Amino acid sequence: MLKLLGAYEFAPSLVHGDLWNGNVGTTIEGKPAIFDPAVYWGHSETDIALARLFGGFTETFLRPMNQCVPRFRMKRTGCRFISFITCLITTTYLVAIIWIIVLRKLAR
């Protein structure tokens, strides 16, 4: 894992942090809008990874993002790694919520 992470360097970028199809829409004028951010400085492929992980985005949406995000020597590996970490965190979070619900019911 450390070998994979050390394979390239990147400069942190300002990312949306919670990009999924529920946080994308259009304005009254029909212009695209992205809302409900969880903005932080992170890996520039984070938003692409989240968009691909949770789906609901067309290549028309993703193509310009792929052109703007700085490319790395390992190309999509960063995106796959971020998707993996996001899945791991989401799964851990959901399991924790389930345990809290179960423990509360058992405590009654």
Side-chain angles (χ1 to χ4, degrees):
M1 184 74 67
L2 291 176
K3 204 177 221 183
L4 174 67
L5 293 174
Y8 60 84
E9 293 180 14
F10 69 95
S13 300
L14 196 59
V15 296
H16 182 280
D18 190 23
L19 190 60
W20 63 289
N21 64 353
N23 287 341
V24 176
T26 56
T27 65
I28 295 171
E29 295 85 24
K31 295 181 180 180
I34 298 175
F35 45 87
D36 194 22
V39 178
Y40 62 93
W41 288 95
H43 195 291
S44 60
E45 288 193 14
T46 300
D47 287 331
I48 294 172
L50 288 171
R52 290 191 183 281
L53 177 67
F54 294 114
F57 296 96
T58 64
E59 282 303 314
T60 305
F61 176 85
L62 294 171
R63 195 174 305 116
M65 288 183 71
N66 284 325
Q67 292 170 352
C68 294
V69 172
R71 304 310 323 149
F72 303 101
R73 283 178 266 157
M74 294 187 69
K75 304 261 178 186
R76 302 274 32 109
T77 303
C79 193
R80 281 190 225 115
F81 178 73
I82 292 168
S83 293
F84 168 74
I85 295 300
T86 303
C87 279
L88 190 62
I89 291 168
T90 303
T91 303
T92 304
Y93 178 73
L94 292 175
V95 168
I97 289 173
I98 291 168
W99 272 109
I100 289 169
I101 292 168
V102 167
L103 292 174
R104 283 184 178 170
K105 288 190 180 215
L106 290 174
R108 290 183 186 172

